[in-house]
Amino acid sequence: MEQNEVTLITKMVLEVLQQKNASAGSGYLVPAGVSARHIHLTQEHVEILFGEGYHLTKKKELMGGQFASNEMVTIVGLKLRAIENVRVLGPVRGKTQVEISATDALRLGVKAPIRESGRTEGSAAIAVVGPKGAIYLNEGCIIAKRHIHMAPKDAAAAGVRDGDVVSVKAENERGTVFDHVLIRVDEHFTLEMHIDTDEANAAGIATGDCVRIIR
């Protein structure tokens, strides 16, 4: 599918959501995005893992200028328990960060805390192995706190601000309510709630399903 077609479809979906939200009196609708385990790397660590002078290659565009790369690594926890084929997201960052689910943490044998992305101080240690080398992080492995990305116009329509914490309901057979959902607002964001695979499976949610901010 061509990029202009993807852009058009995205615009149409958002317009439908806005129309539904305009007529809804009991909360703001938000599409969900299920986030699988992944890793953000510094350029230094990219070169250690993939070779000197190496740069990440783009597989798929994501919101806010990010992208899923073609590169994947293996993450290794305590007692040499490992998970292979962990996707690297780009562009490179100022600090390397591994984001996993609670189930992944049990599998790896690490005590990863629930944190907002970027807050890695005192988080779990983990090793990362690439085709050309390996790195050991004394800290950097977290379970990402569930959150909603919003553009300023969406935040205004929903009556929330950057940094607010809300509750969200999945109106399906399970009827799950998620508390402690962080609002993140940026002009480059597309409206979407990010939850990990554990949360999505427990609540019966797939990418593209809609949830509702209830308070």
Side-chain angles (χ1 to χ4, degrees):
M1 185 177 293
E2 297 296 331
Q3 184 61 42
N4 60 345
E5 293 178 327
V6 173
T7 301
L8 178 59
I9 292 171
T10 301
K11 181 180 178 181
M12 292 171 65
V13 170
L14 290 175
E15 287 176 350
V16 170
L17 283 175
Q18 289 166 358
Q19 290 171 3
K20 287 184 177 180
N21 279 318
S23 61
S26 57
Y28 197 78
L29 288 174
V30 179
V34 181
S35 181
R37 67 181 77 97
H38 59 272
I39 183 170
H40 302 275
L41 295 170
T42 64
Q43 180 58 33
E44 177 187 2
H45 287 165
V46 167
E47 296 192 36
I48 291 173
L49 296 171
F50 295 97
E52 184 176 354
Y54 193 90
H55 293 278
L56 297 177
T57 59
K58 191 177 298 184
K59 176 181 176 68
K60 179 183 177 182
E61 292 279 0
L62 302 174
M63 74 171 67
Q66 295 192 84
F67 60 88
S69 77
N70 292 296
E71 289 70 35
M72 292 188 286
V73 297
T74 297
I75 54 176
V76 184
L78 301 178
K79 300 180 182 179
L80 299 180
R81 298 174 184 172
I83 296 177
E84 300 178 335
N85 300 322
V86 177
R87 182 77 57 188
V88 180
L89 300 192
V92 293
R93 290 194 175 186
K95 183 182 292 186
T96 291
Q97 173 179 295
V98 180
E99 297 183 32
I100 61 175
S101 69
T103 298
D104 291 337
L106 289 173
R107 177 177 170 182
L108 291 166
V110 300
K111 295 182 178 179
I114 298 173
R115 293 281 182 82
E116 181 181 354
S117 180
R119 294 188 58 243
T120 58
E121 298 80 5
S123 58
I126 198 162
V128 183
V129 181
K132 298 293 186 180
I135 58 174
Y136 179 79
L137 304 175
N138 289 314
E139 59 184 21
C141 182
I142 66 170
I143 299 170
K145 184 174 183 178
R146 49 184 174 254
H147 55 278
I148 298 175
H149 289 285
M150 286 184 162
K153 64 177 182 178
D154 296 312
V160 296
R161 297 180 179 180
D162 185 55
D164 283 355
V165 177
V166 299
S167 293
V168 171
K169 184 176 182 180
E171 297 175 328
N172 56 17
E173 291 181 338
R174 299 217 168 175
T176 307
V177 174
F178 294 99
D179 293 326
H180 314 301
V181 181
L182 178 68
I183 298 294
R184 299 175 63 184
V185 181
D186 188 278
E187 62 181 2
H188 299 295
F189 286 163
T190 300
L191 182 65
E192 191 169 65
M193 176 180 173
H194 284 181
I195 55 177
D196 66 30
T197 50
D198 283 358
E199 295 169 317
N201 290 337
I205 297 173
T207 293
D209 291 348
C210 284
V211 295
R212 189 182 298 275
I213 297 175
I214 56 176
R215 61 179 181 272

